[in-house]
Amino acid sequence: MLFFTQCFGAVLDLIHLRFQHYKAKRVFSAAGQLVCVVNPTHSLKYAPTRCAAAQASTEQGILPACHHHEAVHDPQLVPCTCPLFSCPWEGHLEVVVSHLRQTHRINILQGAEIVFLATDMHLPAPTDWIIMHSCLGHQFLLVLRKQEKYEGHPQFFATMMLIGTPTQANNFTYRLELNRNQRRLKWEATPRSILECVDSVISDGDCLVLNTSLAQLFSDNGSLAIGIVITTSKVHSSEAEM
């Protein structure tokens, strides 16, 4: 009976996932967009990351302690960019994508236009939905986070980060679009580099921000569909023509 119960639960989860994917494809197939169903993950990052700790020390005017016996840090190494975990990994920027896929099992979707379908929006904060997007020869990281910026008032924050340098990020423009019940909401901006830390982008509010009532207005049975389009920036295009 225990074996049957576990198998039956797994089958129900699979049917639910396929149903969510079918609903999204039915809505967006006319636009020729790829749909990626993203399940939520509760953040396991209880301890402050090196990025957050360094930012807090700088804001308080406290410089990190320098010890002569410490090894010299290689400036070309970057810490793990996954916002879900306090991961001690660090490596070169070129291998960040393989680390995210192999260690943290983050899926990657290819295509000029995709639909990010986040399920179970009702779960308590903090919760993250993450996917990688391969487009125009580069990889981007889309992070949707449910977080209480003010106690008792959860908000949703969506941002696109380029897995590359800030100079490379300035060459692109991303657009996030919500479209439901004859309502449309768009956010367009230049992606930030993954080197700038996802937490700081969200805390600064330099992203798409939705309160709970607005998120419910665009959600469908607890799922939120976000259309994603990435293009080269106009400045970059004009420089290429010259």
Side-chain angles (χ1 to χ4, degrees):
M1 288 296 296
L2 178 62
F3 175 78
F4 175 78
T5 303
Q6 291 178 343
C7 291
F8 185 70
V11 171
L12 287 180
D13 291 340
L14 180 60
I15 293 175
H16 174 72
L17 182 63
R18 294 294 300 174
F19 178 68
Q20 294 285 353
H21 189 268
Y22 170 76
K23 288 199 305 179
K25 288 187 67 175
R26 185 181 60 186
V27 174
F28 295 100
S29 59
Q33 294 174 305
L34 297 174
V35 178
C36 183
V37 179
V38 184
N39 293 320
T41 304
H42 284 285
S43 178
L44 302 178
K45 190 175 54 179
Y46 299 112
T49 61
R50 284 169 291 178
C51 174
Q55 182 182 5
S57 299
T58 303
E59 291 175 352
Q60 296 174 5
I62 303 175
L63 296 178
C66 178
H67 301 284
H68 295 288
H69 298 288
E70 288 185 352
V72 178
H73 178 71
D74 187 348
Q76 295 183 346
L77 297 180
V78 297
C80 176
T81 56
C82 183
L84 290 175
F85 306 95
S86 294
C87 178
W89 179 91
E90 63 178 10
H92 292 275
L93 192 59
E94 294 78 11
V95 295
V96 168
V97 173
S98 60
H99 169 73
L100 293 176
R101 296 196 67 183
Q102 296 173 9
T103 304
H104 301 299
R105 305 298 181 186
I106 296 180
N107 295 325
I108 186 168
L109 194 65
Q110 298 182 359
E113 299 185 15
I114 66 174
V115 175
F116 179 96
L117 184 65
T119 65
D120 300 323
M121 302 294 294
H122 61 278
L123 291 178
T127 305
D128 289 327
W129 295 260
I130 302 176
I131 193 69
M132 281 194 291
H133 182 190
S134 179
C135 181
L136 301 174
H138 289 77
Q139 282 74 40
F140 301 82
L141 188 71
L142 177 69
V143 178
L144 173 64
R145 176 174 300 174
K146 185 177 183 180
Q147 179 175 303
E148 288 188 358
K149 199 164 186 180
Y150 305 101
E151 186 175 358
H153 299 281
Q155 293 177 302
F156 293 88
F157 304 85
T159 185
M160 180 73 75
M161 311 286 290
L162 172 72
I163 303 179
T165 65
T167 302
Q168 292 174 322
N170 288 333
N171 295 329
F172 299 96
T173 299
Y174 76 95
R175 184 175 75 244
L176 305 179
E177 181 175 334
L178 305 176
N179 190 355
R180 187 173 182 270
N181 292 336
Q182 298 180 345
R183 297 177 178 87
R184 179 173 297 180
L185 179 64
K186 292 183 180 180
W187 167 269
E188 186 171 296
T190 299
R192 302 281 286 272
S193 167
I194 201 70
L195 301 178
E196 300 179 52
C197 188
V198 175
D199 292 337
S200 61
V201 175
I202 292 178
S203 62
D204 293 341
D206 186 16
C207 55
L208 174 64
V209 182
L210 304 172
N211 57 31
T212 304
S213 59
L214 192 59
Q216 290 177 349
L217 191 63
F218 285 98
S219 64
D220 181 16
N221 291 327
S223 297
L224 186 67
I226 304 177
I228 308 171
V229 180
I230 301 177
T231 58
T232 55
S233 64
K234 296 180 180 179
V235 175
H236 178 64
S237 302
S238 61
E239 288 178 353
E241 293 176 358
M242 293 177 63

